[in-house]
Amino acid sequence: MGVDNSQDILVDYVQSNIHPIGSVLANQCRRESLRRLFSPGSQGDLFGDPLDASLDMLAERVHNEKGVYRRWKQKVEGKERWLSVPSEPLQVFLDSYLKPLVEKQDVHRSCHGGINGWSPRKSLESHLPMTVALSFDMQSAFQNIPIWEVFAFFYNSLAGFDNYEEGRDVAGFLTFISTVKYDEHRGLPQGSTVSQSLFNRIMCGIDETIFEAASERGMTYSRWVDDFTIGTSERRDVRELLGAVDLLDRRYPVARDKVFYQDIEPIYLLGHKVVNGRVLKNSKEEKLRNKAPPLNYDECFNGNGSYERWD
């Protein structure tokens, strides 16, 4: 299966199914498709399978017009954000079936957050020696992953579905149970156990783009979930590094108040500080007291200043 026309296929899925979740749950042929995907080689009849029992509970919630997520707004550090926690039937399905399927797919070598064997300290040590650092965040990262990219991930990852409608419907179903509505669009839910795994794999494309561009310039790159770090052992002007921010911003929105350039030790990153070639733990109070203020985003990119594009 290819992904070049994934947006068109997603539109076709929505137009072909009365309910983006319920239609698949009510279709026994599609239930069998899901069973072959998640429980290959499973013995016993369809209705005795643990997967089908999980799907039955989901179907009951949808039939009774209950949401598959429990959602509420929470205020954190003065900012409101939506939390979306899977209902119990969905949680079982995500943990037992979907998350293991997602995590069979590789992440980029520069993706460290949420990956076994990596810690913030080890991630930063991959940059040593580091004299200069540029760090920046993606704005509302899970929320701003477009639904068609979630669909493209599933559509491209599925194996064994040669029939167009079958692959379309399975990928569409997995997309809609993995996303929630934000105003006029859908994105990954904050509070789901599968969101970070999906996010890390969907970001492989931009990871490779920034990694290659940084490597060509003798710099290092890593990503800790939605925190991006560019490091270099040589003294570099900030304008030589800003192309990395531009590369991200062309595809996903950058948090404009979270772009930091540091060229004086200690360099504060990911709850640690880099000093004398070592990565040490630091307190939040120390970071707030000593870390340089963020760059003026508009001045860097929309004003009279110039920067080296990383094309």
Side-chain angles (χ1 to χ4, degrees):
M1 295 181 182
V3 299
D4 291 344
N5 60 340
S6 58
Q7 293 187 61
D8 294 335
I9 301 173
L10 176 59
V11 170
D12 185 31
Y13 172 75
V14 173
Q15 293 176 343
S16 301
N17 290 273
I18 296 173
H19 191 287
I21 296 175
S23 295
V24 170
L25 290 171
N27 186 319
Q28 290 303 322
C29 289
R30 294 297 176 256
R31 289 282 198 104
E32 180 60 27
S33 299
L34 290 169
R35 189 181 181 210
R36 286 191 287 109
L37 176 65
F38 291 111
S39 302
S42 175
Q43 301 298 315
D45 62 43
L46 178 63
F47 296 98
D49 188 86
L51 169 62
D52 201 66
S54 175
L55 297 176
D56 279 342
M57 290 188 289
L58 277 175
E60 183 179 359
R61 286 193 70 89
V62 173
H63 178 74
N64 293 327
E65 298 184 349
K66 295 180 179 179
V68 294
Y69 286 91
R70 293 180 289 110
R71 307 192 69 198
W72 67 92
K73 279 187 176 180
Q74 184 178 72
K75 205 165 190 176
V76 180
E77 296 181 352
K79 296 182 180 180
E80 281 192 338
R81 66 173 181 172
W82 277 105
L83 289 182
S84 304
V85 176
S87 62
E88 185 176 349
L90 179 56
Q91 189 71 62
V92 171
F93 178 77
L94 296 180
D95 289 346
S96 300
Y97 300 102
L98 187 55
K99 189 175 180 181
L101 177 74
V102 170
E103 293 185 346
K104 286 181 179 179
Q105 305 300 315
D106 292 333
V107 297
H108 192 270
R109 72 186 83 174
S110 299
C111 167
H112 300 159
I115 306 302
N116 287 337
W118 285 98
S119 65
R121 171 175 289 179
K122 184 176 178 181
S123 179
L124 294 176
E125 286 175 344
S126 70
H127 289 273
L128 297 179
M130 180 165 58
T131 303
V132 172
L134 181 75
S135 56
F136 48 101
D137 288 9
M138 181 174 161
Q139 180 180 352
S140 303
F142 288 1
Q143 179 175 334
N144 282 314
I145 290 293
I147 185 175
W148 71 264
E149 292 198 12
V150 181
F151 179 84
F153 170 80
F154 284 125
Y155 192 74
N156 194 44
S157 300
L158 300 180
F161 297 119
D162 296 327
N163 178 281
Y164 166 79
E165 286 80 10
E166 184 181 27
R168 175 200 67 190
D169 289 355
V170 172
F173 169 74
L174 297 180
T175 296
F176 274 87
I177 65 166
S178 302
T179 60
V180 294
K181 189 173 182 180
Y182 295 99
D183 297 325
E184 299 303 315
H185 73 283
R186 295 183 72 87
L188 297 174
Q190 187 77 40
S192 168
T193 54
V194 79
S195 288
Q196 183 169 287
S197 297
L198 273 170
F199 179 82
N200 276 338
R201 286 153 181 84
I202 290 169
M203 295 295 284
C204 273
I206 191 65
D207 283 338
E208 180 62 15
T209 297
I210 299 177
F211 172 81
E212 286 188 352
S215 297
E216 289 171 1
R217 291 162 175 80
M219 303 178 190
T220 53
Y221 163 66
S222 68
R223 177 175 58 81
W224 190 269
V225 192
D226 60 348
D227 292 337
F228 296 70
T229 299
I230 303 292
T232 173
S233 60
E234 300 177 354
R235 289 288 170 188
R236 301 288 187 97
D237 187 273
V238 64
R239 290 170 294 183
E240 298 179 71
L241 284 74
L242 288 175
V245 181
D246 176 56
L247 285 179
L248 177 63
D249 206 32
R250 292 184 209 177
R251 185 162 173 180
Y252 307 105
V254 169
R256 298 192 170 198
D257 60 341
K258 292 185 177 180
V259 181
F260 296 91
Y261 171 77
Q262 301 179 74
D263 62 351
I264 299 175
E265 290 189 341
I267 295 174
Y268 295 93
L269 297 163
L270 302 180
H272 292 73
K273 57 185 177 183
V274 180
V275 58
N276 296 326
R278 299 175 62 198
V279 179
L280 306 174
K281 187 71 177 175
N282 73 280
S283 66
K284 184 176 182 180
E285 292 73 22
E286 182 183 0
K287 169 189 169 182
L288 294 174
R289 187 169 59 246
N290 296 295
K291 189 172 181 179
L295 298 177
N296 185 313
Y297 186 94
D298 289 329
E299 185 176 295
C300 289
F301 293 99
N302 302 325
N304 296 323
S306 61
Y307 65 93
E308 177 189 318
R309 291 176 64 91
W310 282 23
D311 293 316

